[in-house]
Amino acid sequence: MIRLAASLVIAARQGNRAALSAIVKNAERPVYNLAMRMLAHPEDAQDATQEILIKIITNLGSIRDVEAAGGWAMRIACRHLIASSKRGRVEAMRLTFDGFADDLARGLDVSTSTEPHDPETELAINEIKIGCTLALLTCLKREARLAYVLGEIFELSDSEAAEALEIAPATYRQRLKRSRDAILAFMNVRCGNVSKTAACRCERRLTAAEKAGRISRGNSTYGLKTDAANSVPRLRSVVHNLEEGRRAAALMRSNPQFTSEIADLVMEIVETNSN
């Protein structure tokens, strides 16, 4: 998932600033997207990404096999996201599947139309879908959450994910199965994007989400553009046509590739500390 060319690692070790900067930029997006799925909040994900990137570039000298630098960086990222003593804002809510289900039920407005909406409303609906799916992941403990993200969302092989988590493949498979079963059990009953019979629809949560300040019409928490917003009802139709066991993961994978702009800041911090 993180790709670092051996030539860049060697050059960075020799003091080449351009190579070091390229390593930061190459690792930034995959690390940030991993952190977003783990922490469910852009600012918390940026903080974690900054800490991980600094760990990566200040420990380049410890890489034994520069050809496998990407896998080494992934292990650093996973280790940090599991072991960090910091709790993100969404993590601090200590959500459970039962509590999450109750929150969804209280926030439904069944009178809201599921027909096509204006672009601004479509954007808001998409924001709700993204926020809900990210928050749902935090109902899993960190180890199970990370196993689910690596296997179901980023689709790493068993061996790749096990290596990133520094556990045996058999242990990883057990962890992934438990987390997959938990997510499926919840979505198959509660999420209308996955189950045709579930009452919850992203459109039906618009009013509650706006009242709670979780979304602001016309603004995007996740960097989406109004004219590029995906239609959640259209996505729902696609997901419903999949086999039941594949629907939850497909919905999770529909979230965008999130972007951050902290590479330059990371380089400034490293250079300041090295002087």
Side-chain angles (χ1 to χ4, degrees):
M1 201 174 102
I2 299 176
R3 303 191 186 283
L4 300 179
S7 59
L8 286 178
V9 175
I10 293 169
R13 283 173 159 181
Q14 295 172 347
N16 187 312
R17 186 190 183 284
L20 192 63
S21 179
I23 288 173
V24 172
K25 289 179 179 177
N26 287 348
E28 178 184 15
R29 175 170 285 194
V31 170
Y32 182 65
N33 274 273
L34 185 62
M36 274 293 293
R37 270 78 178 184
M38 287 295 291
L39 299 171
H41 193 285
E43 291 179 24
D44 294 331
Q46 285 196 28
D47 289 344
T49 299
Q50 177 179 305
E51 292 165 0
I52 291 167
L53 291 176
I54 290 173
K55 284 183 177 181
I56 289 172
I57 60 179
T58 56
N59 287 282
L60 289 174
S62 68
I63 302 177
R64 295 181 180 178
D65 181 4
V66 293
E67 298 291 340
W72 168 84
M74 268 296 290
R75 289 192 292 277
I76 287 182
C78 291
R79 201 180 301 151
H80 179 91
L81 289 166
I82 287 177
S84 175
S85 60
K86 294 181 182 178
R87 282 195 173 273
R89 270 157 271 209
V90 180
E91 273 194 317
M93 297 167 66
R94 298 181 183 276
L95 295 173
T96 65
F97 288 107
D98 289 341
F100 201 73
D102 291 341
D103 181 68
L104 292 179
R106 286 194 300 270
L108 287 184
D109 179 1
V110 295
S111 66
T112 302
S113 171
T114 59
E115 295 302 314
H117 298 275
D118 62 88
E120 190 174 273
T121 302
E122 289 283 4
L123 174 64
I125 293 169
N126 205 19
E127 292 271 311
I128 289 171
K129 186 267 293 186
I130 294 170
C132 185
T133 49
L134 292 177
L136 176 61
L137 288 172
T138 69
C139 293
L140 296 168
K141 293 185 182 299
R142 285 182 178 178
E143 291 84 356
R145 192 187 320 159
L146 194 47
Y148 185 88
V149 170
L150 294 180
E152 287 290 88
I153 300 177
F154 295 140
E155 300 182 274
L156 269 63
S157 68
D158 291 355
S159 59
E160 290 171 331
E163 181 180 356
L165 295 173
E166 300 174 279
I167 57 178
T171 302
Y172 165 74
R173 286 192 290 270
Q174 292 171 357
R175 196 174 290 179
L176 175 61
K177 183 181 185 306
R178 287 194 295 268
S179 58
R180 181 194 291 134
D181 289 348
I183 293 290
L184 272 173
F186 181 92
M187 285 194 163
N188 283 341
V189 174
R190 306 291 181 181
C191 179
N193 293 324
V194 170
S195 169
K196 295 179 181 180
T197 59
C200 191
R201 300 284 190 279
C202 302
E203 303 93 316
R204 294 174 176 173
R205 292 193 53 78
L206 270 170
T207 301
E210 286 185 303
K211 285 183 177 179
R214 293 174 182 171
I215 62 168
S216 175
R217 198 73 67 99
N219 297 310
S220 174
T221 300
Y222 306 107
L224 305 181
K225 302 297 183 183
T226 302
D227 59 358
N230 294 317
S231 167
V232 171
R234 191 179 304 123
L235 169 66
R236 182 182 306 139
S237 176
V238 172
V239 171
H240 283 173
N241 286 327
L242 298 174
E243 295 176 7
E244 184 174 322
R246 297 172 54 203
R247 294 175 188 168
L251 183 65
M252 292 289 187
R253 291 181 201 131
S254 72
N255 287 338
Q257 282 289 307
F258 302 107
T259 58
S260 67
E261 297 180 356
I262 61 171
D264 291 341
L265 175 60
V266 169
M267 288 299 297
E268 288 177 13
I269 291 172
V270 172
E271 288 177 352
T272 299
N273 290 338
S274 63
N275 291 334

